[in-house]
């Protein structure tokens, strides 16, 4: 019997959305347990590393969104056709996470003066550098990131893109046709399309 | 025939050392290609994401140290006995990377005033929080992090510990007996012991 999965996260897309995409893709049942911001302090104190998302099943509480995604990706056969592809997917996901963290270091900077100082190199250097590389990779792989076919690296990117756009303040992929193609390819998967249409509408 | 592997990195331990530990553990031949700081600008411009370490083989150049480690860990059978253990290892490694990045955000802060401001919560909250959790996990798993036996999560932690200590300015695990046990267990593996004795002596 399949275990009963619970995904615990804020009522936003962000770091839980790649996990939700994978559950949707595989048609795997789970409880999408969303909480409101005012509940966070109490929940935080019970989380293994004070962080969410976590995946709960069989008495285990696992944190780290990429680790959770990789586990589900193996289950739904999106983790590459061999160990070499699995490594290329993993590297791509960590490159996406690097970009996300760099945008986050700017977006969550509380000091307005420092934030403005961080904005210039982010907008002029970091973001175009990463997205230029990603676009090139997507071009080589015909609208996917690895092996010319759908993997969890594509789902991961498209699922966190809304959150990255939200933090950055504009549409990151506007000038990158091959990244737009990745987005189209992922959103064309019927189960993902259905999820995106039906998911709760949230601010981020 | 096994491919010819080249690992390219600075002449320090840091992010390349977990990869070197895994090569040593598996007795896998590779070129440990170290460069000096003055060579970095030229090398950087040729790296896929302007970053090292990279693993080069069969015409591929792969960045992201955790992705490279996971690939080698599968090869040398340190990646867990099933997908569930693999996820637990992956989450542990990402938790270690979270701590490393938090220490790095302090250590590499160029503004002395800001650096001092970051030091207090790092020393009093972040580091004890993470290490307390890690120590608890190591206690439950009898001197290992996952499943009560050696996995690449243990090698990863011990291999980057010198670098984290260097950035932090003191021995992080001094007050954590179960993390000391993880270190002992990893350094007791004959191939690792031999590598650590024979490896180039470097500043970090």
């Amino acid at each position: 019997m399949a275990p009963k999965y619970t995904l615990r996260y804020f009522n936003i897309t962000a770091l839980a959305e790649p996990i939700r995409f994978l559950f949707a893709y595989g048609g795997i049942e789970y409880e999408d347990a969303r909480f409101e911001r005012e509940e966070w302090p109490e929940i935080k104190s019970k989380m293994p590393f004070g962080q969410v998302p976590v995946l709960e099943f069989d008495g285990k509480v696992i944190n780290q969104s990429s680790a959770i995604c990789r586990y589900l990706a193996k289950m739904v056969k999106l983790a590459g056709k061999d160990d070499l592809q699995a490594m290329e997917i993993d590297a791509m996901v960590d490159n996406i996470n690097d970009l996300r963290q760099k945008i986050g270091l700017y977006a969550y900077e509380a000091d307005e003066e420092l934030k403005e100082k961080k904005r210039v190199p982010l907008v002029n250097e970091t973001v175009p550098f990463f997205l230029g590389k990603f676009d090139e990779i997507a071009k080589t792989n015909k609208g996917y990131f690895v092996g010319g076919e759908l993997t969890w690296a594509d789902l991961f990117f498209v699922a966190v893109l809304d959150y990255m756009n939200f933090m950055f303040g504009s549409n990151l992929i506007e000038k990158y046709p091959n990244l737009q193609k990745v987005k189209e390819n992922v959103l064309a998967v019927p189960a993902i399309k259905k999820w995106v249409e039906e998911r709760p509408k949230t601010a981020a």
Side-chain angles (χ1 to χ4, degrees), chain A:
Chain A
M1 212 182 86
K4 189 191 170 306
Y5 296 107
T6 298
L7 172 64
R8 200 171 300 283
Y9 197 59
F10 294 97
N11 185 25
I12 57 171
T13 62
L15 297 185
E17 202 60 16
I19 302 170
R20 297 186 187 120
F21 270 37
L22 283 157
F23 274 128
Y25 179 86
I28 300 167
E29 257 193 72
Y30 72 109
E31 185 191 348
D32 189 16
R34 295 162 182 250
F35 57 83
E36 298 303 325
R37 207 151 270 282
E38 54 270 27
E39 300 171 76
W40 176 228
E42 205 206 321
I43 292 171
K44 184 178 176 64
S45 68
K46 296 176 189 157
M47 294 294 102
F49 280 86
Q51 297 169 342
V52 284
V54 293
L55 184 65
E56 303 174 3
F57 66 102
D58 288 346
K60 293 193 179 283
V61 183
I62 310 276
N63 78 321
Q64 292 294 353
S65 56
S66 300
I68 296 167
C69 283
R70 189 175 299 107
Y71 177 74
L72 295 176
K74 287 177 191 171
M75 207 180 292
V76 304
K77 313 284 179 214
L78 285 180
K81 66 171 166 36
D82 55 26
D83 290 345
L84 177 61
Q85 269 199 3
M87 171 167 60
E88 294 183 300
I89 294 166
D90 288 351
M92 187 67 208
V93 167
D94 283 350
N95 287 325
I96 296 165
N97 277 326
D98 278 357
L99 174 61
R100 179 181 57 75
Q101 285 181 341
K102 283 170 200 290
I103 296 174
L105 282 177
Y106 151 77
Y108 293 109
E109 176 57 64
D111 182 316
E112 279 303 321
E113 202 181 319
L114 265 178
K115 186 170 176 177
E116 186 53 29
K117 223 187 246 177
K118 285 179 178 176
R119 206 180 62 84
V120 179
L122 182 76
V123 171
N124 295 341
E125 293 162 37
T126 310
V127 164
F129 176 79
F130 274 89
L131 293 179
K133 299 280 186 180
F134 292 172
D135 197 69
E136 219 173 274
I137 293 170
K139 188 177 180 185
T140 307
N141 286 284
K142 303 182 195 319
Y144 301 96
F145 285 132
V146 178
E149 58 183 18
L150 189 74
T151 70
W152 71 278
D154 308 309
L155 268 66
F156 192 92
F157 178 73
V158 176
V160 297
L161 184 59
D162 287 338
Y163 179 53
M164 290 199 292
N165 286 339
F166 174 79
M167 290 193 294
F168 188 63
S170 70
N171 179 15
L172 286 159
I173 66 170
E174 201 180 359
K175 294 177 193 156
Y176 298 95
N178 299 289
L179 296 180
Q180 290 169 19
K181 188 75 189 138
V182 173
K183 185 175 175 180
E184 281 168 33
N185 284 339
V186 169
L187 296 181
V189 176
I192 304 278
K193 188 175 172 357
K194 184 167 182 288
W195 165 250
V196 169
E197 281 166 7
E198 295 177 359
R199 69 183 172 186
K201 301 296 167 271
T202 55

